Amino acid sequence: MILPVIMAGGTGSRLWPMSREMYPKQFLRLHSKNSMLQETLLRLNNLSVSEPVVICNEEHRFLVAEQLREIKKLSNNIILEPMGRNTAPAIALAAINAVKDGNDPVMLVLAADHVINNVDAFHAAIETAIPFAEADRLVTFGIVPTGPETGYGYIQRGELIGENNEGYKVKCFVEKPNKPTAESYIETGDYYWNSGMFMFRAQRYLQELKKFRPDILEACEQALANTHANSDFISVDKETFANCPDESIDYAVMEKTHDAMVVPLSAEWSDVGSWSALWEVNSKDDAENALTGDVFLHNTNNCYINTDEKLVAAIGVENLVIVNTKDAVLVIDKSQVQDVKRVVEFLKENERSEYRHHRDIYRPWGRCDAVVAEDRFNVNRITVIPGGSFSLQMHHHRAEHWVILAGTAKVTIGEKTFLLTENQSTFIPIGSLHKLENPGKIPLELLEISSGSYLGADDVVRIQDQYGRYNLQS
C-alpha cells in the first residue's frame, strides 16, 4: 500500500482576493465543486493507497479537518506544523510518523494545490514509479513541458533506467530560467518541469536526510518526540520545530543524492500559480471567457470572471481578470497578474484584514459571516454544523442577541438550558456564562447581534472548550 502524503501548508497570495493567509488556494473551490485539497485526495481513488496523511499549518487545522470530513477522509491523519519550515522538514515529519511502528511504506508526496486533468495518465505514472521506489530510488515526477515556461524550475534527465522510457536518472535540477534559456531546454528534449511531487520509501528518505541534513532530521525527531495526538490531529512541539532549518527537499536531498530519478508525467498538470493559469485550465465559452458565478457579458473576450454572490456585468472588455468576493474586487489585465502581490503588500503594510482572512471566517463548529462591523455593534450570520458547539464562554464588554433562522439550537445561559427553533430568539447579558449547540441533523443558522463598548476577539473568555483551542483567535 502506498502512503499518500499531502502537503497543504502554503499561504500563497497570488490568487488574492480569493486566496488569503487564513484561507489559501488549496482550500478554495476554483476548478470544481471540491476544493483543491479535496480534489488531490479524490484523485487517488482506484489506486491501492492507505489513508492519506495531510500536513498543514496549525492555523488551518479545523478547516482541513472539515474538508477531510466532507469527503470521508478524516482519521487521525493531520500533522500540524506550528510554523512553515518548507518541504524537507514537512516530509520528514510524515516519514518519521510513518515508521514509528516499525513500518516502512512507500510515500507518495503530493502538493494540495495542483490541477491534474488527465487522471489516468497520473495513475499510470504512479504505477511506473512504484517499482523504482521499492528498489530504494528517490523518484520525482517531471512534467513534460508544453512550452518554454519561465515560472517553473526544471529537471534535466540523464541516462535511461528501465525499459520503454519509463524513467531516467536525474542529471541536475535547475532554477527558473529566463525565456531564451527555457527555449533552449525545450529544444533539447531533455528537460522537464519540476512538479514538486515525489515517491520513495519513508526510511530511504530519512537515510538520505540523515546523510545530507542531519540537523533537519534531528529537529524533526525531537519535535515529534514531544508531541501529542488527539482524535484528528498530530501536534508538533512548537519550540523545538522553530529551531528546524527552513529548506526544500530539492536542496536538502534531491540535488545531493545519487539515487534521484525522474518519471515523466504528461497529465494536463498546472500548479495554478496565477489567475491567468487558472483561466488556462478552466472550461471556456465561445469567446474564450472562463466564468464562475452570476455573470452578464456583452462583447467580452478572453476574460476570467469569478464572482461570489453579486452579479458582475462586463461589456466591451477583453483579457481581464475580474474577481469579486464579499469584501474585495480585483480587476487586472491578464498580462499583469503577477502584480497581484503588490495589492497584498499594500494591505499588509496598512494592517488591513483583507490580506489575512475573508468576511467568512471558519471555526471548528462551522463558520461566521461578518455581515456588519461597526464600533458599537456587530451582526454575524452564524452556521453551526450538526453536533457543533460554541465553547462555554462569557464576555466582559458586550451583550448578544441570537435569532434562529433555521434548525434547532440548544442554548445554555447561566444555569438554564433550553431549545430554540426558527423565528425564536434569546438575549445574553454582559458577563453571563453561555453556550450554543446544534443537537440536530441539519445546519443551524442564526443571526448574532453583539453590542457594547468593546467588541474585540480578546473579549472571549473560554471556560470550557472541546476543541483544544489555546488562543482567543482560533
Side-chain angles (χ1 to χ4, degrees), residues 179-220:
K179 189 66 172 291
T181 302
E183 290 172 344
S184 70
Y185 290 166
I186 301 302
E187 289 175 4
T188 69
D190 291 337
Y191 288 82
Y192 303 106
W193 293 339
N194 188 350
S195 71
M197 298 186 289
F198 307 91
M199 182 184 285
F200 35 65
R201 285 195 178 277
Q203 286 284 17
R204 187 75 186 100
Y205 175 70
L206 295 176
Q207 289 169 2
E208 295 298 85
L209 191 64
K210 183 176 182 179
K211 182 188 299 183
F212 301 116
R213 290 304 303 266
D215 51 342
I216 292 178
L217 178 59
E218 182 179 0
C220 291

Side-chain angles (χ1 to χ4, degrees), residues 223-252:
L224 277 176
N226 299 326
T227 191
H228 61 277
N230 60 28
S231 58
D232 296 327
F233 308 113
I234 302 168
S235 298
V236 174
D237 184 73
K238 183 176 182 178
E239 183 176 347
T240 306
F241 195 65
N243 296 321
C244 183
D246 184 315
E247 190 76 275
S248 74
I249 182 177
D250 288 350
Y251 287 130

Side-chain angles (χ1 to χ4, degrees), residues 86-98:
N86 217 314
T87 54
I91 298 168
L93 293 175
I96 294 165
N97 187 65

Side-chain angles (χ1 to χ4, degrees), residues 433-445:
L433 289 178
H434 59 281
K435 184 176 183 178
L436 177 74
E437 304 170 70
N438 180 1
K441 302 297 184 183
I442 64 173
L444 168 63
E445 302 275 351

Side-chain angles (χ1 to χ4, degrees), residues 200-421:
F200 35 65
R201 285 195 178 277
Q203 286 284 17
R204 187 75 186 100
Y205 175 70
L206 295 176
Q207 289 169 2
E208 295 298 85
L209 191 64
K210 183 176 182 179
K211 182 188 299 183
F212 301 116
R213 290 304 303 266
D215 51 342
I216 292 178
L217 178 59
E218 182 179 0
C220 291
E221 288 176 334
Q222 292 177 359
L224 277 176
N226 299 326
T227 191
H228 61 277
N230 60 28
S231 58
D232 296 327
F233 308 113
I234 302 168
S235 298
V236 174
D237 184 73
K238 183 176 182 178
E239 183 176 347
T240 306
F241 195 65
N243 296 321
C244 183
D246 184 315
E247 190 76 275
S248 74
I249 182 177
D250 288 350
Y251 287 130
V253 173
M254 297 301 290
E255 292 185 2
K256 297 180 174 68
T257 181
H258 295 296
D259 291 317
M261 65 168 293
V262 58
V263 168
L265 174 62
S266 181
E268 300 174 41
W269 170 93
S270 173
D271 74 345
V272 196
S274 68
W275 285 115
S276 59
L278 191 59
W279 171 82
E280 290 173 359
V281 300
N282 270 288
S283 58
K284 305 174 186 67
D285 64 15
D286 293 340
E288 293 296 298
N289 298 300
L291 309 173
T292 300
D294 192 6
V295 180
F296 169 82
L297 300 179
H298 180 67
N299 291 337
T300 295
N301 302 285
N302 297 305
C303 289
Y304 177 89
I305 303 177
N306 189 323
T307 176
D308 182 4
E309 294 187 347
K310 299 183 187 69
L311 167 69
V312 168
I315 300 173
V317 297
E318 60 182 22
N319 298 318
L320 292 183
V321 169
I322 303 173
V323 183
N324 172 64
T325 67
K326 289 181 179 180
D327 61 351
V329 177
L330 171 71
V331 180
I332 189 169
D333 190 282
K334 275 199 308 190
S335 66
Q336 300 183 46
V337 291
Q338 298 301 331
D339 285 339
V340 168
K341 62 185 179 181
R342 299 186 183 276
V343 182
V344 178
E345 290 167 356
F346 166 81
L347 295 173
K348 287 184 177 181
E349 289 170 1
N350 289 273
E351 299 182 349
R352 295 184 53 150
S353 64
E354 291 95 334
Y355 85 90
R356 183 163 169 79
H357 54 73
H358 286 272
R359 207 179 78 179
D360 279 322
I361 298 176
Y362 284 79
R363 300 296 192 215
W365 41 257
R367 65 187 176 95
C368 171
D369 179 3
V371 179
V372 178
E374 301 288 347
D375 289 340
R376 300 283 303 195
F377 70 92
N378 291 338
V379 179
N380 297 319
R381 179 167 178 166
I382 303 289
T383 301
V384 184
I385 60 176
S389 170
F390 289 8
S391 59
L392 180 64
Q393 60 187 258
M394 58 89 68
H395 311 293
H396 290 297
H397 301 287
R398 67 175 183 254
E400 292 181 342
H401 292 264
W402 291 343
V403 181
I404 308 304
L405 303 176
T408 299
K410 182 180 178 182
V411 177
T412 299
I413 303 176
E415 300 296 323
K416 296 181 179 180
T417 298
F418 51 93
L419 297 179
L420 292 177
T421 58

Side-chain angles (χ1 to χ4, degrees), residues 48-68:
S48 181
V49 298
S50 60
E51 286 296 314
V53 171
V54 178
I55 307 170
C56 72
N57 191 289
E58 204 168 61
E59 289 187 314
H60 300 145
R61 62 197 184 279
F62 299 121
L63 179 55
V64 172
E66 176 59 18
Q67 292 203 351
L68 266 59

